[in-house]
Amino acid sequence: MTTPHSPTPRPSTADASADAQHGAVPAAFEAVPPLDGELCFDGAALEAASGDFGRMVRQAPAAVLKPGSADDVAVMVRYCRERGLKVAGRGQGHSTYGQAQVPAGLVVDLGSLDAVEIRDDTAVVQGGALWSTVVRASLPLGLTPPTFTDYLELSVGGTLSAGGLGGQIGHHGTQVDNVLELEVVTGEGELTTCSPTERPDLFRAVLGGLGQCAIITRATLALVPAPRSVRFYVLTFPSVAALTAREAELIKEGRFDYLIGQARLTPDGWIHFVEAASYDATAEDDARLTDGLGHTSAEVQDIAYFDFLNRIAPTMDLFKSIGEWQRPHPWYDSLLPASTVDEVVTETLAGLKPGSIGASAVILLYPILTAKCRTPLPVMPDEELVYLFSLLRTASPGADSAEEMVAANRAQYDATVAAGGTWYPIGSVPLTADDWVRHFGAFWPEFQEARHRYDPDGILTPGQRIF
Ligand SMILES: Cc1cc2nc3c(=O)[nH]c(=O)nc-3n(C[C@H](O)[C@H](O)[C@H](O)COP(=O)(O)OP(=O)(O)OC[C@H]3O[C@@H](n4cnc5c(N)ncnc54)[C@H](O)[C@@H]3O)c2cc1C
């Protein structure tokens, strides 16, 4: 069973060294060999690669590669390595603190490598493909990736570099837990494949590895049978402790196919709720799913599976239309052990004012069973049950400044570490080299060794500021 989803059409560029280069060529890039894709030096391409969703850090690269093939990525990584130039992959640039930026170096814009092919019960996808494209290609065959981020317009390479946390984690783990094989370009410029059995050290260091050892050009993803519809519940609980206690029970039982929690500041104070989904359930299942949970209110709806996965898209469109999307996003994401989550979250929420988080802020609080997370990264606290606690702040007009929010993130990070937590490294926290060593913990020696082996000159992904 094969359904190819063609990559986005783009001009053929047989002689990239002459015709396909756009803008004045800096001296460092004068000797580039022919490429299948384009190497861009024009203002628009450099501008687009200079920022990100965070809108706080801006660093212009010297060049942007829009690869026509994985070979292009390998050629250009080797080229940059020989000249001491830094390189980073870029998916959708939805990181928030310069993670995909390369001052005066080369950004590899993977958006031009976006093909998706469904082969039996796997999806073979190029690194720049969006998750929305993957699921649109698999659903007609009755298949779906088992686990998603809440927003589908992120690149596969981008979320696999971070981890990919979502509400299906209680059954299927993270997105990186559902990768069967990767094709990557290492920091030496070698195009190679890795999997749990082939170069497992590289596989382990790339999944959730923040682009430090290789650029992902292709991933083979597991697929599972797709539900047709979803019965979707929003259930409100009176306190943080009531919410987390119920989430703990529900995720251990596996009662719902999807489970996340949120807290929201309203004019009447904090509300706490779970969003829970049961696949192919009907109203007849309501009693079995929700009786006795102790919730104070419930909203229920039936929704088509794709619309369920894509349900935050209208809110994102709203944020774009009112300007919130375009504002700085000093996001904070942490992973807290169950033993300290209530104390940290209750105290944190008590200290937040509307201005501390902004008009379109989202606060996530959802449970993760660490036994379901089989890859070493992202780093989780060492308990059976942990919680993602995210403060997705926006520096809206009248709210704290982006700088104040970043400073608050750093204080929150220190509180997280003191409580035995780790951070999910997609947000905006200034970390020192020592913080990073502590962050990786027991995995640090293996991660450091992989970095030295696969990127010996340390040219990959400087925006993460790890090495
Ligand atoms: C609205 C929104 C909702 C989100 N929801 C979730 C969520 O539910 N769960 C979750 O886990 N995360 C979520 N995220 C965070 C998101 O998963 C990460 O920020 C992710 O890295 C962004 O993907 P991207 O394609 O924009 O990557 P980019 O921002 O372009 O890159 C992120 C990092 O990965 C590197 N990179 C990118 N592509 C590659 C590649 N092919 N190979 C190697 N390195 C690469 C970059 O150099 C950079 O360091 C959300 C972000 C936003 C903006």
CSV table of all heavy atoms in Angstrom, one decimal, residues 203-252:
chain,number,residue,atom,x,y,z
A,203,PHE,N,21.2,7.1,16.8
A,203,PHE,CA,19.7,7.2,16.9
A,203,PHE,C,19.3,7.8,18.2
A,203,PHE,O,18.5,8.7,18.3
A,203,PHE,CB,19.2,5.8,16.7
A,203,PHE,CG,17.7,5.6,16.5
A,203,PHE,CD1,17.1,6.1,15.4
A,203,PHE,CD2,16.9,5.0,17.5
A,203,PHE,CE1,15.7,5.9,15.1
A,203,PHE,CE2,15.6,4.8,17.2
A,203,PHE,CZ,15.0,5.3,16.1
A,204,ARG,N,19.9,7.3,19.3
A,204,ARG,CA,19.5,7.8,20.6
A,204,ARG,C,19.9,9.3,20.9
A,204,ARG,O,19.2,10.0,21.6
A,204,ARG,CB,20.2,6.9,21.7
A,204,ARG,CG,19.7,5.6,21.9
A,204,ARG,CD,20.7,4.6,22.5
A,204,ARG,NE,21.2,5.0,23.8
A,204,ARG,CZ,20.6,4.6,25.0
A,204,ARG,NH1,19.5,3.9,25.0
A,204,ARG,NH2,21.1,5.0,26.1
A,205,ALA,N,21.0,9.7,20.2
A,205,ALA,CA,21.4,11.1,20.4
A,205,ALA,C,20.7,12.0,19.5
A,205,ALA,O,20.7,13.2,19.8
A,205,ALA,CB,22.9,11.2,20.2
A,206,VAL,N,20.1,11.5,18.4
A,206,VAL,CA,19.4,12.5,17.5
A,206,VAL,C,18.0,12.7,18.0
A,206,VAL,O,17.4,13.8,17.9
A,206,VAL,CB,19.5,11.9,16.1
A,206,VAL,CG1,18.6,12.8,15.2
A,206,VAL,CG2,20.9,12.0,15.6
A,207,LEU,N,17.3,11.6,18.4
A,207,LEU,CA,15.9,11.7,18.8
A,207,LEU,C,15.8,12.6,20.1
A,207,LEU,O,16.3,12.1,21.2
A,207,LEU,CB,15.3,10.4,19.1
A,207,LEU,CG,15.1,9.5,17.8
A,207,LEU,CD1,14.6,8.1,18.1
A,207,LEU,CD2,14.1,10.2,16.8
A,208,GLY,N,15.2,13.7,20.0
A,208,GLY,CA,15.2,14.6,21.2
A,208,GLY,C,16.5,15.3,21.4
A,208,GLY,O,16.7,16.0,22.5
A,209,GLY,N,17.4,15.2,20.5
A,209,GLY,CA,18.8,15.6,20.7
A,209,GLY,C,19.1,17.0,20.3
A,209,GLY,O,20.3,17.4,20.2
A,210,LEU,N,18.1,17.8,20.0
A,210,LEU,CA,18.2,19.3,19.7
A,210,LEU,C,19.2,19.6,18.7
A,210,LEU,O,19.9,20.6,18.7
A,210,LEU,CB,18.6,20.0,21.1
A,210,LEU,CG,17.6,19.7,22.2
A,210,LEU,CD1,18.1,20.3,23.5
A,210,LEU,CD2,16.2,20.2,21.9
A,211,GLY,N,19.3,18.7,17.7
A,211,GLY,CA,20.1,19.0,16.5
A,211,GLY,C,21.6,19.0,16.8
A,211,GLY,O,22.4,19.6,16.0
A,212,GLN,N,22.1,18.4,17.8
A,212,GLN,CA,23.5,18.5,18.2
A,212,GLN,C,24.4,17.5,17.5
A,212,GLN,O,25.6,17.7,17.5
A,212,GLN,CB,23.6,18.3,19.7
A,212,GLN,CG,22.9,19.4,20.5
A,212,GLN,CD,23.3,20.8,20.2
A,212,GLN,OE1,24.5,21.2,20.4
A,212,GLN,NE2,22.4,21.6,19.6
A,213,CYS,N,23.9,16.5,16.9
A,213,CYS,CA,24.7,15.4,16.3
A,213,CYS,C,24.5,15.3,14.8
A,213,CYS,O,25.3,14.8,14.1
A,213,CYS,CB,24.5,14.1,17.0
A,213,CYS,SG,25.0,14.1,18.7
A,214,ALA,N,23.3,15.7,14.4
A,214,ALA,CA,22.9,15.4,13.0
A,214,ALA,C,21.7,16.2,12.6
A,214,ALA,O,20.9,16.6,13.5
A,214,ALA,CB,22.7,13.9,12.7
A,215,ILE,N,21.5,16.4,11.3
A,215,ILE,CA,20.3,17.0,10.8
A,215,ILE,C,19.4,15.8,10.2
A,215,ILE,O,19.9,15.0,9.4
A,215,ILE,CB,20.6,18.0,9.6
A,215,ILE,CG1,21.4,19.2,10.3
A,215,ILE,CG2,19.3,18.5,8.9
A,215,ILE,CD1,21.9,20.2,9.2
A,216,ILE,N,18.2,15.8,10.6
A,216,ILE,CA,17.2,14.7,10.2
A,216,ILE,C,16.7,15.1,8.8
A,216,ILE,O,16.1,16.1,8.6
A,216,ILE,CB,16.1,14.6,11.2
A,216,ILE,CG1,16.5,14.2,12.6
A,216,ILE,CG2,15.0,13.6,10.6
A,216,ILE,CD1,15.5,14.4,13.7
A,217,THR,N,17.0,14.2,7.8
A,217,THR,CA,16.5,14.4,6.5
A,217,THR,C,15.3,13.5,6.1
A,217,THR,O,14.5,13.8,5.2
A,217,THR,CB,17.6,14.2,5.4
A,217,THR,OG1,18.2,12.9,5.7
A,217,THR,CG2,18.7,15.3,5.5
A,218,ARG,N,15.2,12.4,6.9
A,218,ARG,CA,14.0,11.5,6.6
A,218,ARG,C,13.8,10.7,7.9
A,218,ARG,O,14.7,10.4,8.6
A,218,ARG,CB,14.3,10.6,5.5
A,218,ARG,CG,13.1,9.9,4.9
A,218,ARG,CD,13.5,8.9,3.8
A,218,ARG,NE,14.3,7.8,4.2
A,218,ARG,CZ,15.3,7.2,3.5
A,218,ARG,NH1,15.5,7.6,2.3
A,218,ARG,NH2,16.0,6.3,4.0
A,219,ALA,N,12.5,10.4,8.2
A,219,ALA,CA,12.2,9.6,9.3
A,219,ALA,C,11.1,8.6,8.9
A,219,ALA,O,10.2,8.8,8.1
A,219,ALA,CB,11.6,10.5,10.4
A,220,THR,N,11.3,7.3,9.4
A,220,THR,CA,10.3,6.3,9.2
A,220,THR,C,9.5,6.2,10.5
A,220,THR,O,10.0,5.9,11.5
A,220,THR,CB,10.9,5.0,8.8
A,220,THR,OG1,11.7,5.1,7.7
A,220,THR,CG2,9.9,3.9,8.5
A,221,LEU,N,8.2,6.5,10.4
A,221,LEU,CA,7.3,6.6,11.5
A,221,LEU,C,6.3,5.5,11.6
A,221,LEU,O,5.8,5.1,10.6
A,221,LEU,CB,6.5,7.9,11.5
A,221,LEU,CG,7.3,9.2,11.2
A,221,LEU,CD1,6.3,10.4,10.9
A,221,LEU,CD2,8.2,9.5,12.3
A,222,ALA,N,6.1,5.0,12.8
A,222,ALA,CA,5.1,3.9,13.0
A,222,ALA,C,3.7,4.5,12.8
A,222,ALA,O,3.5,5.7,13.1
A,222,ALA,CB,5.2,3.3,14.4
A,223,LEU,N,2.8,3.7,12.2
A,223,LEU,CA,1.4,4.1,12.1
A,223,LEU,C,0.5,3.1,12.7
A,223,LEU,O,0.9,1.9,12.8
A,223,LEU,CB,1.0,4.2,10.6
A,223,LEU,CG,1.8,5.3,9.7
A,223,LEU,CD1,1.3,5.2,8.3
A,223,LEU,CD2,1.5,6.7,10.3
A,224,VAL,N,-0.6,3.5,13.2
A,224,VAL,CA,-1.6,2.6,13.8
A,224,VAL,C,-3.0,2.8,13.1
A,224,VAL,O,-3.2,3.9,12.5
A,224,VAL,CB,-1.7,2.8,15.3
A,224,VAL,CG1,-0.4,2.5,16.0
A,224,VAL,CG2,-2.2,4.3,15.6
A,225,PRO,N,-3.9,1.9,13.3
A,225,PRO,CA,-5.3,2.2,12.8
A,225,PRO,C,-5.8,3.5,13.3
A,225,PRO,O,-5.7,3.8,14.5
A,225,PRO,CB,-6.1,0.9,13.2
A,225,PRO,CG,-5.0,-0.1,13.4
A,225,PRO,CD,-3.8,0.6,14.0
A,226,ALA,N,-6.5,4.2,12.4
A,226,ALA,CA,-7.0,5.5,12.8
A,226,ALA,C,-8.5,5.4,13.2
A,226,ALA,O,-9.2,4.7,12.6
A,226,ALA,CB,-6.9,6.5,11.7
A,227,PRO,N,-8.9,6.1,14.3
A,227,PRO,CA,-10.3,6.1,14.6
A,227,PRO,C,-11.0,7.1,13.6
A,227,PRO,O,-10.3,7.9,12.9
A,227,PRO,CB,-10.3,6.8,16.0
A,227,PRO,CG,-9.1,7.6,16.1
A,227,PRO,CD,-8.0,6.9,15.2
A,228,ARG,N,-12.3,6.9,13.5
A,228,ARG,CA,-13.0,7.8,12.6
A,228,ARG,C,-13.4,9.0,13.3
A,228,ARG,O,-13.4,10.1,12.8
A,228,ARG,CB,-14.3,7.1,12.1
A,228,ARG,CG,-14.0,6.1,11.0
A,228,ARG,CD,-15.3,5.4,10.6
A,228,ARG,NE,-15.0,4.4,9.6
A,228,ARG,CZ,-14.8,4.7,8.3
A,228,ARG,NH1,-14.9,5.9,7.9
A,228,ARG,NH2,-14.6,3.7,7.5
A,229,SER,N,-13.9,8.8,14.6
A,229,SER,CA,-14.4,10.0,15.3
A,229,SER,C,-13.9,9.9,16.8
A,229,SER,O,-13.4,8.9,17.2
A,229,SER,CB,-15.9,10.0,15.3
A,229,SER,OG,-16.4,8.9,16.0
A,230,VAL,N,-14.1,11.0,17.5
A,230,VAL,CA,-13.6,11.1,18.8
A,230,VAL,C,-14.8,11.7,19.7
A,230,VAL,O,-15.5,12.6,19.3
A,230,VAL,CB,-12.4,12.1,18.8
A,230,VAL,CG1,-12.1,12.6,20.2
A,230,VAL,CG2,-11.2,11.4,18.1
A,231,ARG,N,-15.0,11.1,20.8
A,231,ARG,CA,-15.9,11.7,21.8
A,231,ARG,C,-15.0,12.5,22.8
A,231,ARG,O,-14.1,11.9,23.4
A,231,ARG,CB,-16.7,10.6,22.6
A,231,ARG,CG,-17.8,11.2,23.4
A,231,ARG,CD,-19.1,10.7,23.1
A,231,ARG,NE,-20.2,11.1,24.0
A,231,ARG,CZ,-21.1,12.0,23.6
A,231,ARG,NH1,-21.2,12.5,22.4
A,231,ARG,NH2,-22.0,12.4,24.5
A,232,PHE,N,-15.2,13.8,22.8
A,232,PHE,CA,-14.2,14.7,23.4
A,232,PHE,C,-14.9,15.4,24.6
A,232,PHE,O,-16.0,16.0,24.5
A,232,PHE,CB,-13.8,15.8,22.4
A,232,PHE,CG,-12.8,16.8,22.9
A,232,PHE,CD1,-11.6,16.4,23.4
A,232,PHE,CD2,-13.1,18.1,22.7
A,232,PHE,CE1,-10.7,17.3,23.9
A,232,PHE,CE2,-12.2,19.1,23.2
A,232,PHE,CZ,-11.0,18.7,23.7
A,233,TYR,N,-14.2,15.3,25.8
A,233,TYR,CA,-14.8,15.8,27.0
A,233,TYR,C,-13.9,16.9,27.6
A,233,TYR,O,-12.6,16.8,27.6
A,233,TYR,CB,-14.8,14.7,28.1
A,233,TYR,CG,-15.6,13.5,27.7
A,233,TYR,CD1,-15.0,12.5,26.9
A,233,TYR,CD2,-16.9,13.3,28.1
A,233,TYR,CE1,-15.7,11.3,26.6
A,233,TYR,CE2,-17.7,12.2,27.7
A,233,TYR,CZ,-17.1,11.2,26.9
A,233,TYR,OH,-17.8,10.1,26.6
A,234,VAL,N,-14.5,17.9,28.1
A,234,VAL,CA,-13.7,18.9,28.9
A,234,VAL,C,-14.4,18.9,30.3
A,234,VAL,O,-15.5,19.2,30.4
A,234,VAL,CB,-13.9,20.4,28.3
A,234,VAL,CG1,-13.1,21.4,29.1
A,234,VAL,CG2,-13.3,20.4,26.8
A,235,LEU,N,-13.6,18.5,31.3
A,235,LEU,CA,-14.1,18.3,32.6
A,235,LEU,C,-13.3,19.2,33.6
A,235,LEU,O,-12.1,19.2,33.6
A,235,LEU,CB,-13.9,16.8,33.0
A,235,LEU,CG,-14.4,15.8,32.1
A,235,LEU,CD1,-13.9,14.4,32.5
A,235,LEU,CD2,-15.9,15.8,31.9
A,236,THR,N,-14.1,19.9,34.4
A,236,THR,CA,-13.5,20.9,35.2
A,236,THR,C,-13.3,20.4,36.7
A,236,THR,O,-14.2,19.7,37.2
A,236,THR,CB,-14.4,22.2,35.3
A,236,THR,OG1,-14.6,22.6,33.9
A,236,THR,CG2,-13.7,23.3,36.0
A,237,PHE,N,-12.2,20.8,37.3
A,237,PHE,CA,-11.9,20.3,38.7
A,237,PHE,C,-11.6,21.5,39.6
A,237,PHE,O,-11.1,22.6,39.1
A,237,PHE,CB,-10.8,19.3,38.7
A,237,PHE,CG,-11.1,18.0,38.0
A,237,PHE,CD1,-10.9,17.9,36.6
A,237,PHE,CD2,-11.7,17.0,38.7
A,237,PHE,CE1,-11.3,16.7,36.0
A,237,PHE,CE2,-12.1,15.8,38.1
A,237,PHE,CZ,-11.9,15.7,36.7
A,238,PRO,N,-11.9,21.4,40.9
A,238,PRO,CA,-11.9,22.6,41.7
A,238,PRO,C,-10.5,23.1,42.1
A,238,PRO,O,-10.3,24.3,42.5
A,238,PRO,CB,-12.7,22.2,42.9
A,238,PRO,CG,-12.6,20.7,43.0
A,238,PRO,CD,-12.5,20.3,41.6
A,239,SER,N,-9.4,22.3,41.9
A,239,SER,CA,-8.1,22.8,42.4
A,239,SER,C,-7.0,22.0,41.6
A,239,SER,O,-7.3,21.0,40.9
A,239,SER,CB,-7.9,22.4,43.9
A,239,SER,OG,-7.9,21.0,44.1
A,240,VAL,N,-5.8,22.5,41.7
A,240,VAL,CA,-4.7,21.8,41.1
A,240,VAL,C,-4.6,20.4,41.6
A,240,VAL,O,-4.4,19.5,40.8
A,240,VAL,CB,-3.4,22.6,41.4
A,240,VAL,CG1,-2.1,21.8,41.1
A,240,VAL,CG2,-3.3,24.0,40.7
A,241,ALA,N,-4.7,20.2,42.9
A,241,ALA,CA,-4.5,18.9,43.5
A,241,ALA,C,-5.6,18.0,43.0
A,241,ALA,O,-5.4,16.8,42.8
A,241,ALA,CB,-4.5,19.0,45.0
A,242,ALA,N,-6.9,18.5,42.9
A,242,ALA,CA,-7.9,17.6,42.4
A,242,ALA,C,-7.7,17.2,41.0
A,242,ALA,O,-7.9,16.1,40.5
A,242,ALA,CB,-9.3,18.3,42.5
A,243,LEU,N,-7.2,18.2,40.2
A,243,LEU,CA,-6.9,17.9,38.8
A,243,LEU,C,-5.8,16.9,38.6
A,243,LEU,O,-5.9,15.9,37.9
A,243,LEU,CB,-6.5,19.2,38.1
A,243,LEU,CG,-6.0,19.1,36.6
A,243,LEU,CD1,-7.3,18.9,35.7
A,243,LEU,CD2,-5.3,20.3,36.2
A,244,THR,N,-4.7,17.1,39.3
A,244,THR,CA,-3.5,16.1,39.1
A,244,THR,C,-3.9,14.8,39.7
A,244,THR,O,-3.4,13.8,39.1
A,244,THR,CB,-2.2,16.7,39.8
A,244,THR,OG1,-2.5,16.9,41.2
A,244,THR,CG2,-1.8,17.9,39.1
A,245,ALA,N,-4.6,14.7,40.8
A,245,ALA,CA,-5.0,13.4,41.3
A,245,ALA,C,-5.8,12.6,40.3
A,245,ALA,O,-5.6,11.4,40.1
A,245,ALA,CB,-5.7,13.6,42.6
A,246,ARG,N,-6.8,13.3,39.7
A,246,ARG,CA,-7.7,12.6,38.8
A,246,ARG,C,-6.9,12.2,37.5
A,246,ARG,O,-7.1,11.2,36.9
A,246,ARG,CB,-8.9,13.5,38.4
A,246,ARG,CG,-9.9,12.8,37.7
A,246,ARG,CD,-10.4,11.6,38.5
A,246,ARG,NE,-11.3,12.0,39.6
A,246,ARG,CZ,-11.6,11.2,40.6
A,246,ARG,NH1,-11.1,9.9,40.7
A,246,ARG,NH2,-12.5,11.6,41.6
A,247,GLU,N,-6.0,13.1,37.1
A,247,GLU,CA,-5.2,12.8,35.9
A,247,GLU,C,-4.3,11.6,36.2
A,247,GLU,O,-4.2,10.7,35.3
A,247,GLU,CB,-4.3,14.0,35.6
A,247,GLU,CG,-5.0,15.2,34.9
A,247,GLU,CD,-4.0,16.3,34.5
A,247,GLU,OE1,-3.1,16.6,35.4
A,247,GLU,OE2,-4.2,16.9,33.5
A,248,ALA,N,-3.8,11.5,37.4
A,248,ALA,CA,-2.9,10.3,37.7
A,248,ALA,C,-3.7,9.0,37.6
A,248,ALA,O,-3.3,8.1,37.0
A,248,ALA,CB,-2.4,10.5,39.1
A,249,GLU,N,-4.9,9.0,38.1
A,249,GLU,CA,-5.8,7.8,38.1
A,249,GLU,C,-6.1,7.5,36.6
A,249,GLU,O,-6.0,6.3,36.2
A,249,GLU,CB,-7.1,8.0,38.8
A,249,GLU,CG,-6.9,8.0,40.3
A,249,GLU,CD,-8.2,8.4,41.0
A,249,GLU,OE1,-9.3,8.3,40.4
A,249,GLU,OE2,-8.1,8.9,42.1
A,250,LEU,N,-6.5,8.5,35.9
A,250,LEU,CA,-7.0,8.2,34.5
A,250,LEU,C,-5.9,7.7,33.6
A,250,LEU,O,-6.1,6.9,32.8
A,250,LEU,CB,-7.6,9.5,33.9
A,250,LEU,CG,-8.9,9.9,34.6
A,250,LEU,CD1,-9.4,11.3,34.0
A,250,LEU,CD2,-10.0,8.9,34.3
A,251,ILE,N,-4.7,8.3,33.8
A,251,ILE,CA,-3.6,7.9,32.9
A,251,ILE,C,-3.1,6.5,33.2
A,251,ILE,O,-2.8,5.7,32.3
A,251,ILE,CB,-2.5,8.9,32.8
A,251,ILE,CG1,-1.6,8.6,31.5
A,251,ILE,CG2,-1.6,8.9,34.0
A,251,ILE,CD1,-0.8,9.8,31.1
A,252,LYS,N,-3.1,6.2,34.5
A,252,LYS,CA,-2.7,4.8,34.9
A,252,LYS,C,-3.7,3.8,34.4
A,252,LYS,O,-3.4,2.7,34.0
A,252,LYS,CB,-2.5,4.7,36.4
A,252,LYS,CG,-1.2,5.4,36.9
A,252,LYS,CD,-1.1,5.4,38.4
A,252,LYS,CE,0.1,6.3,38.8
A,252,LYS,NZ,0.1,6.6,40.2
